Amino acid sequence: MEAVAFSFASCPIPLVFSSTKINNSQTNRRFFPTRRPIHNPHVSNIIQGYSVSPLWCAMFNISGRTKCLKAGCGINIHKIISWQEKFKHNISVIFVRLVTGMMLVISVSLIVCKTPSGALTEENRLFLEAWRTVDRAYYDKTFNGQSWFRYRENALRNEPMNTREETYMAIRKMLSTLDDPFTRFLEPEKFKSLRSGTQGALTGVGLSIGYPTMLNESATGLVVISSSPGGPANKAGVVPGDVILAIDDTSTEDMDIYDAADRLQGAEGSSVKLAIRSGSEIRNLVLKREKVTLNPVKSRLCEITSSGMDGFRIGYIKLTSFNQNASGAVKDAIEMLRNNNVKAFVLDLRDNSGGLFPEGIEIAKIWLEKGVIVYICDSRGVRDIYEADGSNTVAASEPLVVLVNRGTASASEILAGALKDNKRALLYGEPTFGKGKIQSVFELSDGSGLAVTVARYETPAHTDINKVGIIPDHALPTSFPVDEDGFCACFKDPASLCNLNGAELFAR
């Protein structure tokens, strides 16, 4: 658990200074006592041995009747002594009152500013750890138009945090004020499940889901972004664009996507009931959860048999997710296909809902010799740039086509946007999903975690695709297959409805 430090700098104590200007234009003398012996037996030892200069007399004019002479001041010395004693007494009283007043002001300021650090419990410290994580990482430094510091102070005073569940509720409430569905709290089991998903396996029905976008904004519920090939949902005919209306009889109309994802996952062999709308048809499905292995890459060698391109070999690569194995698997597929003398590549990103941002960057570098991959932005503008410098390039020369659809999201859109804007590839298909924000996952000290939106991104052409998506260069035939076997078949039969002109397809 991190240590918590507090500073009083945020509660400054104002100090007011005043000054008095003395007009000495008439006397034109220095403000020093003159060392002249005063031979007067009645003079007190306090000032005996000194006479008072004209300026001293001018400063302390008793009743306006003091008269300064050459030899000194013709005034009653006893009155001066009496006045001096009163002056000392008054100064002492004023000084004591001033010091006392300042101490009271400081005490009040400390009481007002004090965060209850001395009384922090373990639950308070966990809450502060979550608060600090968002404070440092969240991309919008206005925090949705609120004082993030003030929220912390009010929450520590007012939110119950006596149990771990109450602390979790306080963290969720804090995150809800950001009005960002992608910034959310993950309990320890959910955090573990999310981390395992990026490592290559999940137990569920094989669906990636999202909120309705501009393409399907009339939908109420959660939209299927992609359906893992061979998974339970895919085998039941669930396709991208279908809408999940209910999960186990619980409506998804106001359901958070991460709550929905948690409901879809479960023990291997257990069942989950889904209400699915496909177009105008509503289906009720009961799916059995399976362990879905997320092998991110499939590849196939295809030959074009159309006139003028007989024997032209294409390397088809299907990338289904951006887990920690993705970039290495793409490199292996390229090398394998090159060994079979392919002349061009097709990178299929359809129904790829994204994954690890760094893997998206690394795969872009595989195809690009140089150029901007993505701009990382926050509320103040561009804060970082990812570029290809040629050091990781594997296949920058062969013609490249990228296939996309509305199931292409997040890291897939970063990759597709980089290849399109750098004129490295032509995009075929339909507009992509439109998720233009990037999240990072942070583990808290008790094993729970936070997914925090750390940036939005723009393509190399400075296009903000959030809720809009990337527009492809060309459409695909409506009957174009989504699997690798069907893809190759479209090039073998010129009479097929899905057939594409190979010469046009790979025109650069």
Side-chain angles (χ1 to χ4, degrees), residues 176-197:
S176 71
T177 65
L178 300 174
D179 194 24
D180 177 0
F182 299 108
T183 296
R184 79 277 186 192
F185 174 72
L186 302 165
E187 294 178 354
E189 285 302 313
K190 292 182 181 180
F191 179 78
K192 183 179 178 182
S193 176
L194 177 66
R195 187 160 53 184
S196 69

Side-chain angles (χ1 to χ4, degrees), residues 386-403:
Y386 285 84
E387 297 180 278
D389 60 7
S391 60
N392 295 317
T393 303
V394 175
S397 57
E398 294 93 342
L400 176 64
V401 165
V402 177
L403 307 182

Side-chain angles (χ1 to χ4, degrees), residues 267-279:
E268 186 173 5
S270 61
S271 297
V272 59
K273 181 180 177 182
L274 301 181
I276 301 286
R277 187 175 67 225
S278 299

Side-chain angles (χ1 to χ4, degrees), residues 190-211:
K190 292 182 181 180
F191 179 78
K192 183 179 178 182
S193 176
L194 177 66
R195 187 160 53 184
S196 69
T198 63
Q199 293 173 348
L202 279 174
T203 301
V205 296
L207 287 177
S208 294
I209 57 176
Y211 298 109

